[in-house]
């Protein structure tokens, strides 16, 4: 195995097979039906699910995948897959039961437990759509997006930044 990954009850191993990588998964939370686990570039885990980015998907194929229960990010919504066909994923970030993907163009999308960052509120998504996000920071229950110019926005449980705190962050650069 190149690298091992864990959730609270499951395991994943990224294994070289010829000139490709294969993800092997096992544990009580792994569903009977699995997505394609071949040609994996990188793997990310939360408390119950594994998400991954495919190395070189063919046109029309999914750019990312996940294994686990839908409620914890183990299933990537079709709408999100469609957006990633034209904007390649750069990295995935995790809370305890949700994932967020950052794309090459700086867009951000989420899935998994809505309360813990798996759903981006409409007002936050609207603001994110006007930003070029450079990086994401995740806590147990929330995500925070940052731009190169210093803009910051968060979502998820306890992820809302109070106005006074946000003002202090901007004042302190």
């Amino acid at each position: 195995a190149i690298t091992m990954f864990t959730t609270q009850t499951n395991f994943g191993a990224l294994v070289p097979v010829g000139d490709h990588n294969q993800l092997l998964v096992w544990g009580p939370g792994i569903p009977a039906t699995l997505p394609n686990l071949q040609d994996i570039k990188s793997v990310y885990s939360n408390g119950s699910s594994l998400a991954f980015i495919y190395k070189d998907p063919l046109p029309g194929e999914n750019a990312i995948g996940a294994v686990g229960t839908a409620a914890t990010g183990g299933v990537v919504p079709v709408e999100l897959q469609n957006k990633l066909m034209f904007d390649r994923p750069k990295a995935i970030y995790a809370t305890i039961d949700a994932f967020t993907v950052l794309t090459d163009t700086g867009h951000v999308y989420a899935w998994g437990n809505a309360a813990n960052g798996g759903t981006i509120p409409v007002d936050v998504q609207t603001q994110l759509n006007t930003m070029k996000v450079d990086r994401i920071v995740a806590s147990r229950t929330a995500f925070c997006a940052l731009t190169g110019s210093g803009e910051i926005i968060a979502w998820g449980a306890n992820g809302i930044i109070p106005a006074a705190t946000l003002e202090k962050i901007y004042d302190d650069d």
Side-chain angles (χ1 to χ4, degrees), residues 120-155:
I120 302 173
V122 173
D123 58 326
V124 174
Q125 186 68 64
T126 300
Q127 189 172 349
L128 282 168
N129 290 345
T130 66
M131 303 165 66
K132 182 182 184 306
V133 175
D134 290 325
R135 63 183 216 167
I136 303 284
V137 177
S139 72
R140 180 176 164 77
T141 60
F143 295 104
C144 184
L146 300 104
T147 69
S149 62
E151 292 177 278
I152 182 173
I153 191 164
W155 67 96

Side-chain angles (χ1 to χ4, degrees), residues 14-29:
L14 197 56
V15 179
V17 178
D19 60 349
H20 299 284
N21 289 330
Q22 177 178 352
L23 181 62
L24 303 176
V25 294
W26 67 97

Side-chain angles (χ1 to χ4, degrees), residues 31-156:
T33 304
L34 297 172
N36 175 16
L37 299 175
Q38 306 290 322
D39 203 22
I40 305 296
K41 176 180 167 183
S42 52
V43 180
Y44 309 84
S45 62
N46 68 20
S48 304
S49 298
L50 298 167
F52 47 88
I53 298 175
Y54 289 107
K55 185 177 178 184
D56 292 312
L58 296 172
E61 290 185 350
N62 292 337
I64 64 174
V67 176
T69 61
T72 64
V75 176
V76 181
V78 173
E79 317 76 67
L80 195 153
Q81 292 285 16
N82 290 340
K83 291 175 183 174
L84 296 176
M85 286 190 185
F86 303 102
D87 191 7
R88 298 279 306 144
K90 183 160 111 178
I92 296 174
Y93 303 85
T95 62
I96 187 66
D97 54 8
F99 292 105
T100 286
V101 61
L102 176 62
T103 70
D104 284 340
T105 62
H107 288 94
V108 177
Y109 306 104
W111 75 100
N113 183 324
N116 293 331
T119 298
I120 302 173
V122 173
D123 58 326
V124 174
Q125 186 68 64
T126 300
Q127 189 172 349
L128 282 168
N129 290 345
T130 66
M131 303 165 66
K132 182 182 184 306
V133 175
D134 290 325
R135 63 183 216 167
I136 303 284
V137 177
S139 72
R140 180 176 164 77
T141 60
F143 295 104
C144 184
L146 300 104
T147 69
S149 62
E151 292 177 278
I152 182 173
I153 191 164
W155 67 96

